Amino acid sequence: MSRSEFEPVAVVGGGYVGLVTAAGFAELGHEVHCLEADADKVASLARGRVPFFEPGLEQALAKHRDRIHFSTEPAAAVGACGLFFVCVGTPRSQTGEADLDAVYTVVDDLPLGAGQTIVMKSTVPPGTGIECRKRLDGQGREEVGYVSCPEFLRESSGLSDFIKPDRVVIGDAGNGAGDAVEEIYLRITSQDRILRTDLTSAETLKLASNAFLATKITFINEIANLCDRAGADVTTVAEGMGMDPRIGFSCLRAGIGFGGSCFGKDVTALAHEFERHGSDTEILDAVLRSNERQWRRVLDKLVEGLGSLEGASVAVLGLAFKPNTSNTRDATSLRVLKGLRAEGVDVRAFDPEVRREALVHDVNADATLREVTFAASTGECVAGADAVVLVTEWPEFVDLDWSEVRRAMAGRLVVDGRNALDPTAVSAAGLDYVGVGRPASRPERMPVS
Ligand code: UGA
């Protein structure tokens, strides 16, 4: 076993955030003990297999193989580490609030003692830290530290977000428990990017940040819908809005809705908090409703371009909730596939990193998804299609040879659900380009003599 320069740290949970965090700390030079309850997962991680696609992660874990130890058993980690970065899932429960079973299991069962600190990275509702503190105190474990240190990294750029965070939020009960966490983060960021808070403010600001970004995306999506009717171009509108530093450019890419493990779940969880505290929120409810129906712009555009959809053949490019990930949690693609099947469309779909097997849960739960054909390549997906719909802007779709696509298709409609394609390149290939809130672009036709 190699000995690293810095103190060993523990990461609890071998999911997306846990593995990126483990790889990040190993890259900084720490020995990392990664605890994961699923023995099969531990065995496959120890063999270097990462169960999802994240750029650079498999390579980073392989590079630091000697420094990262995966185990289901806490003994070695508890014997060696002071800081326990908890990265367990907090999935949405049936009623909308976060399911905190995994969080409380860690707090109650991890045998920590004096000088050891739980650092909560998982997204939890406001008040969870106070509840965890109470549990620890109630068990006579007052000397175990508890810190809220929410995670802000984005899938597909997790490793670089870890190494270069915009901010690090460290909440504690005012007892200095966060000092050791601050010290460790000062190796990757500067003091002015560290915000020390109380526990509940740290938890609230994480949910509020995600909810705000989701609101911004939803706002520009609605503006795009207006642009479609008014004849404006939402990409230009967003550019002009973003030039105001009070607004900024990020999260102003209009399209057919946000997806992923976080935005929908966190907006729902935050809305639930309003309810729990006897208050209400107009904005968050509207964001969820608006996002839920934004995919229908695909339907509108197909009907406009093809007329009747019954029996039409449509190629869906992209299943992941965004490019460079294999995650399909809450992905817009699922709404699109189900919605098109419900209209009697013959749907074929392809994603470079998502196979049908990855959707097995959704496919089993929804009969309409069983009727979708999953293609093995872009070529197979678009062959004979009346229309192509871009759902995830993978670079290989953005850079497609549209003349080749035109030759393979039966029809010539391209619906760009992410405003990611070059309308001129698509129409120059003889295809009809339609975006979301962007003027359509059609091939120049020879005048009929
Ligand atoms: C999001 C936040 O951006 C992270 O800061 C946060 O840490 C993370 O959730 C989390 O809580 O774990 P992520 O879900 O990985 O990160 O993805 P984003 O890149 O934010 O994109 C989310 C969705 O919004 C995607 O479906 C994307 O296509 C969509 N989006 C994003 C737009 O439709 N338009 C935009 O302008 C930006």
Side-chain angles (χ1 to χ4, degrees):
M1 194 198 288
S2 73
R3 288 261 65 90
S4 62
E5 195 183 334
F6 301 117
E7 76 272 22
V9 296
V11 171
V12 185
Y16 176 78
V17 175
L19 292 180
V20 171
T21 306
F25 279 125
E27 180 70 25
L28 292 181
H30 294 266
E31 195 91 15
V32 181
H33 290 265
C34 184
L35 298 175
E36 164 57 51
D38 180 342
D40 292 339
K41 203 165 179 187
V42 166
S44 100
L45 286 168
R47 284 197 302 273
R49 297 220 179 92
V50 178
F52 50 83
F53 174 69
E54 171 70 18
L57 183 59
E58 205 157 84
Q59 294 83 333
L61 293 173
K63 179 175 165 200
H64 300 298
R65 206 182 1 241
D66 297 342
R67 230 181 246 166
I68 307 177
H69 317 288
F70 295 103
S71 179
T72 54
E73 293 302 322
V78 171
C81 306
L83 297 178
F84 287 73
F85 292 86
V86 179
C87 309
V88 296
T90 53
R92 187 172 6 197
S93 69
Q94 293 275 322
T95 43
E97 73 263 48
D99 175 344
L100 297 176
D101 282 357
V103 165
Y104 291 139
T105 300
V106 171
V107 171
D108 293 341
D109 296 351
L110 202 59
L112 304 184
Q116 293 180 308
T117 300
I118 293 171
V119 186
M120 190 54 64
K121 306 279 322 158
S122 304
T123 302
V124 294
T128 307
I130 288 182
E131 171 59 24
C132 291
R133 193 58 272 162
K134 267 195 210 144
R135 281 183 180 234
L136 290 166
D137 295 347
Q139 295 158 3
R141 299 200 290 155
E142 293 86 353
E143 72 286 4
V144 175
Y146 183 94
V147 172
S148 170
C149 181
E151 189 48 75
F152 297 102
L153 52 81
R154 292 158 301 172
E155 291 191 29
S156 79
S157 57
L159 287 172
S160 51
D161 288 352
F162 178 91
I163 297 291
K164 240 175 151 288
D166 335 303
R167 82 284 214 193
V168 175
V169 174
I170 301 172
D172 64 21
N175 51 7
D179 295 353
V181 182
E182 176 167 342
E183 212 175 293
I184 217 166
Y185 276 107
L186 277 172
R187 293 187 192 132
I188 45 174
T189 196
S190 50
Q191 192 74 60
D192 60 333
R193 290 188 185 270
I194 295 183
L195 179 68
R196 297 290 297 263
T197 72
D198 60 280
L199 291 169
T200 311
S201 299
E203 294 159 346
T204 308
L205 79 82
K206 161 69 194 196
L207 285 180
S209 297
N210 271 3
F212 187 80
L213 297 176
T215 304
K216 207 174 166 194
I217 295 167
T218 305
F219 181 85
I220 201 67
N221 286 345
E222 291 201 349
I223 296 295
N225 299 345
L226 173 68
C227 287
D228 265 339
R229 288 183 172 81
D233 183 339
V234 73
T235 56
T236 310
V237 172
E239 191 183 350
M241 287 171 64
M243 286 165 82
D244 181 336
R246 292 171 303 173
I247 298 176
F249 294 105
S250 68
C251 289
L252 283 186
R253 273 183 299 106
I256 52 175
F258 61 76
S261 313
C262 305
F263 281 177
K265 170 173 89 79
D266 291 354
V267 175
T268 308
L270 192 57
H272 200 273
E273 285 306 296
F274 278 83
E275 205 182 307
R276 191 162 74 88
H277 289 282
S279 182
D280 51 28
T281 160
E282 305 279 341
I283 292 181
L284 299 182
D285 293 341
V287 166
L288 291 170
R289 272 198 312 274
S290 178
N291 191 61
E292 196 58 44
R293 60 164 194 247
Q294 184 64 10
W295 77 269
R296 297 188 72 86
R297 300 301 291 140
V298 168
L299 215 53
D300 299 341
K301 283 158 195 296
L302 287 173
V303 170
E304 254 167 56
L306 299 178
S308 161
L309 294 187
E310 183 68 43
S313 164
V314 172
V316 170
L317 295 181
L319 296 165
F321 84 96
K322 66 175 183 179
N324 292 313
T325 171
S326 53
N327 190 349
T328 53
R329 197 94 52 89
D330 246 354
T332 307
S333 63
L334 298 174
R335 292 186 197 108
V336 171
L337 297 182
K338 288 179 207 169
L340 293 183
R341 272 307 304 148
E343 295 295 320
V345 173
D346 178 11
V347 187
R348 214 172 311 152
F350 172 67
D351 187 286
E353 287 295 334
V354 181
R355 301 281 163 266
R356 188 180 191 277
E357 303 78 67
L359 294 173
V360 75
H361 175 263
D362 303 283
V363 171
N364 287 341
D366 196 303
T368 53
L369 281 181
R370 269 178 248 148
E371 300 155 357
V372 171
T373 305
F374 291 85
S377 65
T378 306
E380 193 181 309
C381 189
V382 301
D386 297 310
V388 167
V389 178
L390 179 83
V391 172
T392 316
E393 65 279 30
W394 282 94
E396 70 177 73
F397 297 150
V398 174
D399 298 335
L400 273 172
D401 177 339
W402 290 100
S403 304
E404 221 172 274
V405 175
R406 167 78 180 100
R407 282 194 292 277
M409 287 174 69
R412 59 167 182 228
L413 178 63
V414 175
V415 178
D416 179 2
R418 297 294 171 191
N419 288 349
L421 305 177
D422 174 359
T424 317
V426 175
S427 57
L431 293 161
D432 291 340
Y433 172 93
V434 184
V436 183
R438 250 176 150 183
S441 179
R442 300 210 154 75
E444 282 184 19
R445 306 251 149 73
M446 298 296 287
V448 184
S449 53

